[in-house]
Amino acid sequence: MAISATPGNGNGNHAPAHPHDQGNVGLVGLIVGAIGVVFGDIGTSPLYTLKEAFLPHYGLNPSDQADVLGLLSLIFWALMIVVTIKYVTFIMRADNEGEGGIMALMAMAQRTFPSASRSAYVFGILGIFGASLFFGDGVITPAVSVLGAMEGLEVAAPNFETLVVPLSIAVLLVLFIGQRFGTSKVGRVFGPVTLVWFAAIAAIGAFNIRHDPAVLMALNPWWGLKFFLDHGWHGIFILGAVVLAITGGEALYADMGHFGAKPIRVGWMAVVLPALTLNYLGQGALVLKDPTAVNNPFFLGVPKWGLYPMIALATAAAVIASQAVITGAYSVARQAMQLSYIPRMKVIHTSRETIGQIYVPGINWLLMVSVIALVLMFRSSTNLASAYGVSVSGTMLITSVLMFVYARGRQLIPAWILWPATAVFVLVDAAFLFANVIKFADGAWFPLALGIVVFTVLRTWHRGRDLLHAEIRKEGIQLDTFLPGLMLAPPARVPGTAVFLVAQKGMAPQALLHNLKHNKVLHERNVFLTVETLNVPYAPKERRLKIDPIGDDFYRVVLRYGFMETPDVPLALMRSCDKGGIHFDPMDTTYFASRETVVASRHRGMPIWRDKLFAIMHRNAVPATNFFRIPGNRLVELGAQVEI
């Protein structure tokens, strides 16, 4: 299936043709970088997970060994089932030529159905809603992580309580401003810091386990099952807190294009999972020794001499936690641009060695404003924890469904493994989602509302572009009809090559019609160029370029790119000199493009408010010619008004 080019923008380096061209970056360096970027979110979950689980409304007794061991068992097996088995073992096998994330998985799932079928449409809608929820996670994670770290000041010195929110905002400002330096540089800085963080929380956990070594029994899943037997159906509510331990699990898949699957798998199994397990067990042992430690079991388990250094390290780790979802949001945003779901934005490649590392300024500043507003609104990690989880569990559930559709369609996994595994994953994800949705009035409304807003924007842009193209087709002239008539009485021809950008193959471009009407000339050679985005990350070389001569020095040219590539039209045309008998001299080639002004109408298309929303987005989108890297001094743009 080919998708009409929806230009995202890239003013950065031209992307190489193959994914994960790591250059001289070794596996160890990638593992360290992945630990620094990918695992930051899930690595800071111990800051607030147990603290949230022992809030009064969950009804747990910190003095009851069965309650504590049951909670710890649920946390450990959530990490094993959702992250280790589901994401690391199963879902990361579904890489779209090296790229991960829910948009890439959606594209792969859709390819298992006939193009334009109802099933492809339904699973496309599902994937877009999952991506919308992921953006909600990108807003909440930085806020809750940084607030959770800063609240360590309340343990060290209660008088510092009033500084938590201002300092959190200052840290977040530094984080988002620093994004422009790129994931590669950020990862090199964050990787060693995060390694120290995981070593520290593992050591603290091991130190605290000595208070009550019986917590090691929590590794037995029987204690998790016993928790539900003791608490009945009400026990499911605790999953609203347990889900906090696995937030960031979806970032492993979304960030796969930044580092590759192997570094992420090795980092998780060798470093992250053992450290998290030790720390949670240590917090549980501390609570059993001193039930009042539930007020902040993470920082109260730190020796007094190390409290301030640990607060500083936790703050750094919280910043890194935010990085995981921010980089994931960049990847999802670029995929959404190329798949025609959001307007074109500037995309900057920040690494010459790892193709997936990008920076999207528009997404970055939008996230920054939203995150700071969220901190000011909720003001504590406890308040935010009630809002957290809905977007994460919703995205995870949709990912499970899409993975099943893709794996079944491609027969990647034997049916006797796929069906039971999917049933377990869906059951677990649905339970987490239910436990979080019931917290709607306590804050869960926020990620749901944000997800609906983002979903509306994505669908409006996609539908609006379809309507726009339909109107252009309806008012256009078929090229096969137009050219023979034109050549019966051809206008004067001038030297050089004219390249007309055509969104609709087979249609006479509006720019050509305007040029003939006003200038009354034709160039010596005329090329009708269509750029297509395929629903694979990188277009195969043999499909990159197609040239069809149609007589009288007219040519149809199709350039194809994957949804993770940034097109460079002049460069691609220069490399095509030996194909089809065309020589593209950059100094003798003029590009013609039409730029539509969208007018909303009450009697066609979408509801008027969506038409107006699309018109605003279309007006503010980065021009297609910028995305195609067409030099401004070789470009002629001609306007047209289109009513939808």
Side-chain angles (χ1 to χ4, degrees):
M1 181 179 72
I3 303 170
S4 244
T6 300
N9 187 312
N11 290 340
N13 304 319
H14 182 70
H18 299 286
H20 303 304
D21 179 12
Q22 308 293 3
N24 296 320
V25 180
L27 178 61
V28 173
L30 286 172
I31 292 172
V32 173
I35 289 173
V37 173
V38 178
F39 297 111
D41 184 4
I42 199 167
T44 53
S45 295
L47 286 169
Y48 44 78
T49 299
L50 254 67
K51 178 182 175 183
E52 166 72 10
F54 282 105
L55 290 177
H57 58 263
Y58 288 114
L60 299 191
N61 182 1
S63 302
D64 186 340
Q65 185 187 55
D67 273 5
V68 175
L69 292 181
L71 174 62
L72 293 175
S73 185
L74 290 174
I75 290 173
F76 174 74
W77 284 101
L79 290 170
M80 291 300 296
I81 294 172
V82 176
V83 183
T84 307
I85 299 176
K86 175 182 163 182
Y87 276 97
V88 174
T89 304
F90 278 88
I91 290 182
M92 288 182 67
R93 295 178 64 188
D95 65 294
N96 201 338
E97 297 187 20
E99 294 298 328
I102 194 165
M103 295 291 289
L105 184 58
M106 177 196 74
M108 292 189 293
Q110 285 182 305
R111 289 205 299 271
T112 64
F113 299 103
S115 178
S117 67
R118 183 168 183 81
S119 295
Y121 173 80
V122 168
F123 287 106
I125 292 290
L126 193 63
I128 292 304
F129 189 66
S132 303
L133 291 175
F134 183 82
F135 281 114
D137 184 27
V139 172
I140 297 178
T141 294
V144 72
S145 299
V146 174
L147 278 171
M150 286 298 175
E151 284 167 358
L153 291 172
E154 298 175 359
V155 176
N159 294 333
F160 287 167
E161 182 180 355
T162 56
L163 297 177
V164 169
V165 170
L167 287 175
S168 297
I169 292 174
V171 169
L172 289 167
L173 285 171
V174 172
L175 169 67
F176 283 103
I177 291 172
Q179 291 300 311
R180 62 189 178 89
F181 296 110
T183 307
S184 180
K185 293 179 181 177
V186 169
R188 281 199 296 269
V189 174
F190 283 176
V193 174
T194 313
L195 279 173
V196 173
W197 166 257
F198 283 119
I201 66 172
I204 292 170
F207 175 78
N208 285 319
I209 287 174
R210 66 185 174 83
H211 294 308
D212 194 337
V215 293
L216 294 172
M217 293 190 299
L219 301 180
N220 185 339
W222 161 250
W223 287 98
L225 177 61
K226 185 177 185 300
F227 181 92
F228 289 118
L229 293 175
D230 291 343
H231 290 267
W233 71 271
H234 293 283
I236 197 172
F237 296 147
I238 194 59
L239 296 181
V242 173
V243 74
L244 299 176
I246 58 173
T247 56
E250 74 286 353
L252 275 67
Y253 186 47
D255 284 334
M256 190 164 65
H258 289 251
F259 298 98
K262 186 174 182 180
I264 293 174
R265 288 192 177 109
V266 173
W268 172 256
M269 298 302 296
V271 177
V272 181
L273 179 60
L276 290 175
T277 302
L278 284 172
N279 192 262
Y280 283 122
L281 292 175
Q283 289 189 45
L286 178 66
V287 167
L288 286 174
K289 176 195 174 188
D290 178 12
T292 63
V294 295
N295 294 325
N296 199 322
F298 181 86
F299 283 109
L300 289 171
V302 178
K304 288 186 178 180
W305 58 265
L307 191 55
Y308 282 106
M310 197 62 191
I311 292 171
L313 184 59
T315 302
V319 170
I320 296 165
S322 307
Q323 187 68 39
V325 291
I326 292 171
T327 53
Y330 295 159
S331 296
V332 172
R334 180 171 66 171
Q335 294 172 23
M337 286 181 226
Q338 291 287 64
L339 293 171
S340 306
Y341 283 104
I342 60 175
R344 298 175 296 268
M345 295 182 185
K346 184 178 183 181
V347 176
I348 300 173
H349 292 270
T350 59
S351 172
R352 293 181 180 272
E353 296 172 322
T354 307
I355 184 174
Q357 296 183 4
I358 57 172
Y359 167 57
V360 186
I363 296 295
N364 187 66
W365 304 129
L366 183 62
L367 283 176
M368 185 187 77
V369 171
S370 302
V371 169
I372 291 175
L374 201 62
V375 170
L376 292 172
M377 185 188 308
F378 286 87
R379 306 190 71 81
S380 78
S381 63
T382 298
N383 293 337
L384 265 173
S386 297
Y388 212 10
V390 172
S391 55
V392 174
S393 52
T395 302
M396 287 181 171
L397 177 59
I398 292 171
T399 300
S400 295
V401 174
L402 293 176
M403 177 61 188
F404 170 76
V405 172
Y406 171 66
R408 181 171 177 264
R410 297 297 183 196
Q411 298 182 338
L412 290 181
I413 302 170
W416 64 273
I417 296 176
L418 178 63
W419 282 89
T422 301
V424 172
F425 297 151
V426 169
L427 179 64
V428 171
D429 293 336
F432 279 126
L433 182 60
F434 173 76
N436 282 279
V437 167
I438 59 176
K439 298 188 291 184
F440 184 86
D442 296 326
W445 61 268
F446 178 82
L448 288 174
L450 183 60
I452 290 170
V453 169
V454 174
F455 177 79
T456 301
V457 169
L458 297 180
R459 285 297 303 161
T460 297
W461 179 257
H462 192 71
R463 175 63 176 154
R465 283 189 60 81
D466 288 345
L467 292 171
L468 177 61
H469 291 162
E471 288 297 320
I472 293 173
R473 278 196 303 270
K474 186 167 65 177
E475 298 175 4
I477 305 172
Q478 288 292 325
L479 203 56
D480 293 340
T481 303
F482 175 74
L483 287 182
L486 175 67
M487 299 314 295
L488 290 175
R493 303 190 78 146
V494 297
T497 301
V499 178
F500 296 93
L501 302 181
V502 186
Q504 311 292 326
K505 285 190 294 186
M507 304 298 296
Q510 291 294 318
L512 171 63
L513 302 179
H514 284 299
N515 189 45
L516 289 170
K517 178 179 179 180
H518 297 292
N519 298 324
K520 299 178 175 58
V521 295
L522 269 177
H523 280 71
E524 181 182 0
R525 289 175 300 278
N526 296 274
V527 174
F528 305 114
L529 173 66
T530 300
V531 181
E532 292 182 347
T533 299
L534 307 179
N535 62 353
V536 295
Y538 308 94
K541 286 185 178 180
E542 63 273 13
R543 296 191 64 192
R544 173 76 73 201
L545 179 71
K546 182 182 179 183
I547 299 176
D548 292 322
I550 52 179
D552 296 306
D553 280 321
F554 287 91
Y555 302 86
R556 284 195 185 99
V557 176
V558 178
L559 274 174
R560 297 183 179 92
Y561 291 90
F563 60 71
M564 294 300 293
E565 297 181 271
T566 302
D568 188 329
V569 167
L571 180 63
L573 293 180
M574 283 176 59
R575 290 175 174 173
S576 71
C577 290
D578 297 329
K579 294 188 178 182
I582 312 177
H583 175 74
F584 290 96
D585 181 353
M587 301 307 296
D588 199 32
T589 301
T590 303
Y591 296 87
F592 290 84
S594 61
R595 193 162 188 180
E596 300 86 7
T597 299
V598 176
V599 178
S601 169
R602 290 185 179 276
H603 304 296
R604 8 176 146 179
M606 301 175 288
I608 186 66
W609 66 270
R610 289 185 68 191
D611 284 341
K612 290 181 177 180
L613 175 60
F614 174 75
I616 292 171
M617 290 191 292
H618 188 271
R619 186 164 59 248
N620 289 281
V622 172
T625 50
N626 284 18
F627 172 63
F628 295 147
R629 304 189 73 179
I630 294 172
N633 60 354
R634 310 302 305 170
L635 174 67
V636 176
E637 285 190 308
L638 299 165
Q641 192 173 82
V642 181
E643 190 176 84
I644 64 170

